[in-house]
Amino acid sequence: MSATLERDGELTRIARALDAAAAGEGRVVVVEGRAGIGKTRLVEATRELAKARGFGRLQAVGDALESAMAWGVVRQMVERSVSRYRGEVRAAILAGPSGDALRALDTAAADPGEAELARTLHSLWWVAVDLSSTRPLLITVDDAHWADLSSLHFLVYLSRRIADLPIALVVATRPPAANTGPLAQLSDARRAERLLPRPLSPAALADLISNRGVRPADRVVGALHEASAGNPFLAGVLVDELDALGLPLDAPPTADRVAGLGPTTVFRAVLGRLPEGAVRLAGAAAVLGVGSDPWQVGAVAGLDPSALPAAVDSLVGANVLHSEDDHLVFVHPVVREAVLADLGPVARSALHAKAATHLWSVKAPADRVAAHLAHAPKGTLADAAEVLRQAAVVLLAAGDAETAAAHLARAVDEAPDDAGLRAEFGRALLRTGDAAEAQRQLRAAATGLPNAELVAAAASATAVVDGPEAAIAELSRAIRALPSGDGRLHLEARLAVTRSFLRDQRHVASDHLGRYASLRGNTPDERTLLGLLAQMGRYEVWPARQVADTALRALSNGAYFDDATGSTDAMVAWVVALLALVSADGVDEARKEVDRARLRVRQHGSPVEFAMVANAALFLNWRLGNVSLVEAESEGALEAVRDEEPVQHVVALRATATHFTTYAALERNDIAGAARALARFDAEHPDAPRMMPTLWLHEPRALIALANGKPLQAKAEAFEQRDEMLAAGVDPPTVPWRDPAVRAAMLLGDEAEALVLAEEQLVIAQKWGAATEVGAALRLLAHADATRRVELLTESVAVLETSPARLHLARSLVDLGEALRVARRRTDARAPLHRGIDLAAECGSVALRTRAVEALEALGDRPRRLTVAGAEALTASERRVADLAALGRPNREIAQELFVTPKTVENHLGRIYTKLGISGRRELARVLA
């Protein structure tokens, strides 16, 4: 009964999705319905349609047992594409995308840090990109409600990035139990279609039965429809049983027998007619799961190998199993569920024990063995605790903390005196969000295994359960109880991190961190303390040289970045330390640090990590005055995290990149573009959390208001940022909210307020001591103090000559030239204006250059006009792509380096060729030279 009836609408929509994918516009189709409604048949029909269209095809089927195995569905896809080949062909396949996928999964298992999941997902995404590079690709997953969590994460990851890929993703699932989780996210993906197959009508059911060569009586059809509720599979099961009972379908009295037949009764009747060996084999196959090896199934069932073929034939003949690629597969999940139900809990547990013992003896992967141990009696394996622990490590690396914690709970039950095992259980519970139980387990582990890391982990749980104040008290007690050394510094580092989240602990934290100012940065704990110290110094306006020295020791020539591997929070700490160094004008060392980090991320990184390094790079380039590079870095960061979940660190990345996108747009005189960038962020994050990167957005809003002639709005935005920062207890000169506030006050005629604010900025800048801030503050004060304007601007230029900030120098030069012109010192005005024009052009500031040119023209000079043609017409992002293409780099490599899709690179190159008036990349090197 495999015909597809009353599914024309669904098949039409699937065909449209395939055609869109073939045209390079990826699609997601979610087929949702209860068991037996025909989801599998629609998936089969999809594969047939895709085959006719020349698609490559990957397929997998979810399985209740494999849901406890890391990357089970993804491995199934890859291994199916490899298993049918041998020798050189197999080796060639493994040398390509399929091998890349397996290597990505094997590498992931080695590192259980939370950032590893993001890297693995990105690596797998590239495998899908590569597989779809020569022909469109169909990926189907049936019974996705049983798919493992890590594979579901990948399906969601792919669905969000599928729009410009020639890939169709078709997922069949029963209705999700909740409106959250990966399956619900799949349905909400962009370009996702949700198909809800309806039950068959009586007429369609009659046609389906007629395919057997007999036209059923109307009463029989009605009885079958009522008993099956129009479910195609269940109707077929009932028809099979009527046939086995010798009841004719065309005889109306047969309808009276249908009412007494239910699916469970039918399945039991089917099994009751089979030989005992076949029944045992069916039970073992049901326990072992989808696609089981027949010899393993036979071993678990306790069958003699010579009896195995006959038992398999019996099950195939009874339409219970079928053989697929030398594996046993149930004809339908409902049949398997019925077999499992018929076994009963004790028999199932015994079979799981046999399966675990057999799989362990043949050296199966730990997560496969553990999936059975979880359902087997305690004591099944002598090494059960270690097997479960190994499986948990793999699952944690794959992002499935829930199953990992369940395995570790069972492992602790197997070995309750193993404090190390209990500690791993506690850490896994922290990942699941069960902080209360994590606290209990970690404290118990620390009692049995005194260890600073365990005490620190327990305090992390305490911070969630009882608040950070309680965690601070707990850490303080532990530190007092420890002798010097012996892990004490680790607790001190954790205490400092915990205090950094509390506003009222700022002064205590500052005094605490100050005790570690002489550390060399030789260990991760020392680097953590120094990184926090550098951040504190920047916010509390310590001398810039002291902060730069502290930041350098924290960064330790790339060691701090290496420490951050596996932790997004640690990456944030690295970025903060680097920003402290840049703010202190330590740009040469910062550039080396960014270059090292960029190389590391390109080799093995995630989009979020790429965006973090890009944000650090754009802050550095803004300090240096490289407007075009700021634009490129900010665009690259936003593009990299475009499809990421809007969790707090992603929102922070977007806020920072948006901030600098706005700066770059204003320097290009694109006020509307700057406003659009901020409006886009606000639309995407209407409830953005209150944190430093989002608070900083008040300043660019104020600058836009000034550019639009709205000084009242500008002043309000600047003062809102002031209030937010003062509430947080910080007021560093590197976040210059006073700049737009002073300019707004001047426009509003409040010169006294402007002068007070400008003088405050200079005092803070001089306390900081970095030439960049001092020079900028002198320029701001000159704006507010007309009587000393030329004197202050002259001093500003002299100070900025010693700074790496070329754009700040250009601004002061132009301001000085204008001030000298107004003071009727026309000859003196020309030199700073000419130099300001040159620097503004080098920096890429159209707005500043235009202002300087107008000032020179007012003096009667005719400066060289800036023409935008050829390579200069390219945007920063286009120039970056063009430079890589001119070096002979293929599109795929460029996309990998910039963390975008090959289609994005292709689109960039199309625009580049048009702007440059060339036909292809062969001419790029000549035009860009």
Side-chain angles (χ1 to χ4, degrees):
M1 299 182 69
S2 60
T4 306
L5 296 174
E6 291 190 330
R7 297 291 184 254
D8 290 346
E10 288 89 343
L11 290 174
T12 297
R13 291 167 68 183
I14 288 171
R16 281 201 301 261
L18 291 173
D19 291 339
E25 298 179 7
R27 289 290 188 272
V28 179
V29 178
V30 179
V31 184
E32 186 180 305
R34 57 194 177 91
I37 199 66
K39 301 185 298 296
T40 297
R41 183 66 193 99
L42 279 173
V43 170
E44 292 169 353
T46 300
R47 293 180 58 77
E48 291 163 8
L49 291 170
K51 182 178 181 180
R53 286 165 168 76
F55 275 63
R57 298 175 304 287
L58 292 177
Q59 64 175 314
V61 180
D63 175 64
L65 186 73
E66 285 198 352
S67 65
M69 300 178 200
W71 305 111
V73 160
V74 172
R75 282 190 183 277
Q76 202 183 124
M77 287 181 202
V78 178
E79 288 167 358
R80 279 191 177 196
S81 68
V82 176
S83 61
R84 69 191 72 173
Y85 300 103
R86 296 290 181 271
E88 293 182 1
V89 175
R90 181 186 180 92
I93 293 172
L94 288 173
S98 295
D100 291 340
L102 292 173
R103 282 186 289 277
L105 300 183
D106 291 340
T107 302
D111 184 355
E114 79 252 16
E116 185 59 35
L117 175 61
R119 296 180 190 138
T120 305
L121 292 173
H122 193 63
S123 297
L124 292 174
W125 178 78
W126 265 110
V127 171
V129 171
D130 289 342
L131 287 170
S132 65
S133 62
T134 55
R135 59 174 175 164
L137 177 67
L138 170 68
I139 299 175
T140 59
V141 180
D142 200 3
D143 293 328
H145 47 280
W146 284 321
D148 60 282
L149 186 61
S150 43
S151 293
L152 286 175
H153 281 315
F154 170 65
L155 297 181
V156 172
Y157 191 90
L158 175 63
S159 71
R160 289 180 174 152
R161 294 159 176 79
I162 209 170
D164 59 356
L165 295 173
I167 297 177
L169 172 62
V170 178
V171 176
T173 178
R174 295 180 189 176
N179 292 325
T180 58
L183 283 175
Q185 291 172 332
L186 268 178
S187 296
D188 292 336
R190 286 184 296 177
R191 299 175 182 255
E193 279 200 84
R194 190 159 162 253
L195 305 186
L196 304 172
R198 293 162 56 179
L200 295 181
S201 68
L205 190 56
D207 289 341
L208 201 59
I209 297 169
S210 296
N211 290 334
R212 298 195 171 204
V214 58
R215 183 70 186 178
D218 291 344
R219 277 188 60 203
V220 174
V221 171
L224 287 169
H225 190 268
E226 183 177 354
S228 67
N231 186 300
F233 177 76
L234 296 182
V237 168
L238 294 173
V239 169
D240 287 341
E241 183 61 13
L242 291 174
D243 188 52
L245 295 173
L247 297 170
L249 297 171
D250 54 358
T254 297
D256 299 331
R257 296 292 300 275
V258 174
L261 298 176
T264 303
T265 304
V266 170
F267 292 134
R268 283 180 174 165
V270 169
L271 292 173
R273 291 193 289 267
L274 294 174
E276 188 266 342
V279 175
R280 283 163 50 199
L281 189 70
V287 164
L288 277 166
V290 170
S292 302
D293 175 86
W295 301 105
Q296 283 188 349
V297 176
V300 171
L303 287 182
D304 187 277
S306 63
L308 182 63
V312 170
D313 290 344
S314 294
L315 291 170
V316 171
N319 205 29
V320 173
L321 294 174
H322 63 86
S323 184
E324 181 181 293
D325 295 332
D326 296 327
H327 289 78
L328 298 180
V329 179
F330 280 89
V331 295
H332 197 279
V334 173
V335 178
R336 181 185 173 205
E337 290 171 32
V339 172
L340 286 171
D342 197 53
L343 280 171
V346 175
R348 284 199 303 272
S349 181
L351 281 172
H352 279 298
K354 287 183 178 180
T357 303
H358 174 75
L359 291 170
W360 184 241
S361 71
V362 297
K363 296 182 170 52
D367 57 345
R368 182 168 291 276
V369 180
H372 290 285
L373 280 176
H375 302 285
K378 181 179 174 181
T380 294
L381 284 180
D383 297 322
E386 177 59 20
V387 173
L388 290 159
R389 189 198 68 78
Q390 290 176 16
V393 170
V394 176
L395 286 160
L396 283 170
D400 187 355
E402 293 284 350
T403 308
H407 281 346
L408 288 167
R410 173 61 184 274
V412 168
D413 194 38
E414 295 271 356
D417 297 329
D418 189 330
L421 199 58
R422 195 176 292 275
E424 292 191 51
F425 179 35
R427 290 192 181 99
L429 286 167
L430 272 178
R431 296 271 289 271
T432 69
D434 189 353
E437 183 60 19
Q439 181 189 52
R440 192 176 75 82
Q441 295 294 338
L442 288 165
R443 285 178 174 175
T447 301
L449 183 70
N451 179 292
E453 289 190 8
L454 286 181
V455 173
S460 296
T462 298
V464 178
V465 177
D466 303 314
E469 294 87 353
I472 288 169
E474 186 174 320
L475 287 165
S476 299
R477 286 194 301 272
I479 290 169
R480 288 194 297 270
L482 271 180
S484 185
D486 233 13
R488 182 168 182 161
L489 198 64
H490 183 71
L491 296 180
E492 296 279 12
R494 184 57 60 90
L495 176 60
V497 170
T498 307
R499 278 179 170 151
S500 69
F501 290 103
L502 295 177
R503 189 182 305 166
D504 60 1
Q505 289 276 330
R506 182 171 298 280
H507 296 301
V508 177
S510 180
D511 293 340
H512 175 213
L513 286 168
R515 299 202 298 267
Y516 298 100
S518 62
L519 292 174
R520 301 312 307 162
N522 295 328
T523 69
D525 291 324
E526 289 189 4
R527 292 189 281 271
T528 296
L529 287 162
L530 288 168
L532 288 168
L533 191 65
Q535 178 187 27
M536 186 72 73
R538 179 189 174 205
Y539 284 152
E540 293 188 351
V541 198
W542 298 354
R545 288 185 179 178
Q546 178 185 343
V547 171
D549 176 67
T550 304
L552 281 171
R553 281 181 282 130
L555 294 167
S556 294
N557 294 315
Y560 199 24
F561 187 83
D562 292 341
D563 296 343
T565 298
S567 169
T568 302
D569 289 342
M571 276 285 288
V572 171
W574 171 82
V575 171
V576 168
L578 191 63
L579 297 192
L581 179 60
V582 173
S583 297
D585 281 346
V587 295
D588 292 334
E589 297 88 350
R591 185 185 290 109
K592 294 174 186 175
E593 187 72 24
V594 167
D595 288 345
R596 276 192 298 262
R598 201 190 297 276
L599 181 62
R600 177 80 175 268
V601 168
R602 284 172 183 165
Q603 291 171 341
H604 181 52
S606 68
V608 167
E609 290 169 311
F610 173 84
M612 284 184 170
V613 176
N615 272 359
L618 67 86
F619 192 89
L620 170 63
N621 280 301
W622 180 250
R623 189 74 170 187
L624 293 169
N626 296 325
V627 174
S628 60
L629 288 179
V630 168
E631 184 181 16
E633 296 286 4
S634 59
E635 286 180 4
L638 289 170
E639 176 67 23
V641 296
R642 180 189 64 184
D643 299 309
E644 294 292 322
E645 276 283 300
V647 294
Q648 182 164 314
H649 64 266
V650 171
V651 176
L653 287 170
R654 290 174 180 165
T656 304
T658 297
H659 189 165
F660 286 95
T661 296
T662 305
Y663 276 175
L666 289 172
E667 293 301 325
R668 286 188 286 100
N669 242 348
D670 185 5
I671 300 167
R676 281 195 302 273
L678 282 169
R680 186 166 53 247
F681 176 85
D682 291 339
E684 292 174 353
H685 307 287
D687 300 314
R690 298 167 72 82
M691 51 185 169
M692 288 301 178
T694 55
L695 299 185
W696 291 346
L697 291 176
H698 289 298
E699 186 211 352
R701 289 193 179 100
L703 295 174
I704 292 171
L706 285 173
N708 285 324
K710 298 178 179 179
L712 275 173
Q713 182 183 341
K715 185 177 178 181
E717 290 284 359
F719 278 12
E720 189 168 350
Q721 180 163 337
R722 174 200 65 185
D723 295 343
E724 297 277 11
M725 290 173 59
L726 292 178
V730 301
D731 188 16
T734 50
V735 185
W737 61 267
R738 290 180 180 82
D739 188 299
V742 166
R743 297 178 189 280
M746 292 292 291
L747 290 172
L748 292 168
D750 195 345
E751 289 88 354
E753 182 181 41
L755 187 59
V756 168
L757 290 171
E759 287 174 340
E760 285 179 2
Q761 183 69 15
L762 181 58
V763 169
I764 297 171
Q766 288 173 333
K767 181 181 178 183
W768 176 242
T772 299
E773 269 66 49
V774 173
L778 286 165
R779 183 174 68 251
L780 183 64
L781 182 57
H783 190 70
D785 188 350
T787 61
R788 295 191 297 149
R789 184 162 295 160
V790 171
E791 174 192 344
L792 289 167
L793 287 170
T794 301
E795 186 180 357
S796 174
V797 168
V799 170
L800 288 168
E801 292 283 9
T802 67
S803 157
R806 294 174 304 148
L807 185 55
H808 274 297
L809 175 59
R811 287 173 181 155
S812 290
L813 285 165
V814 173
D815 281 3
L816 176 60
E818 287 182 325
L820 290 168
R821 180 180 65 81
V822 171
R824 301 182 182 279
R825 294 169 58 180
R826 299 169 66 86
T827 302
D828 293 338
R830 286 184 169 85
L833 285 173
H834 276 293
R835 189 166 174 224
I837 285 174
D838 291 341
L839 273 176
E842 287 177 19
C843 292
S845 177
V846 175
L848 182 60
R849 188 183 187 283
T850 299
R851 183 158 66 85
V853 165
E854 290 172 354
L856 267 178
E857 287 177 340
L859 292 172
D861 284 20
R862 290 282 182 266
R864 180 177 62 86
R865 290 287 177 185
L866 185 64
T867 57
V868 179
E872 293 178 349
L874 302 179
T875 68
S877 295
E878 288 168 351
R879 180 61 195 244
R880 180 173 285 186
V881 170
D883 287 340
L884 291 170
L887 293 173
R889 305 277 288 278
N891 288 6
R892 183 190 186 282
E893 284 188 18
I894 297 172
Q896 278 193 310
E897 181 163 329
L898 301 181
F899 280 75
V900 296
T901 66
K903 182 78 171 187
T904 299
V905 173
E906 184 182 321
N907 291 339
H908 269 311
L909 287 172
R911 290 192 293 272
I912 290 165
Y913 299 154
T914 300
K915 287 183 178 181
L916 298 182
I918 60 177
S919 59
R921 68 169 61 214
R922 289 185 178 180
E923 301 173 71
L924 270 176
R926 173 182 58 80
V927 175
L928 296 177

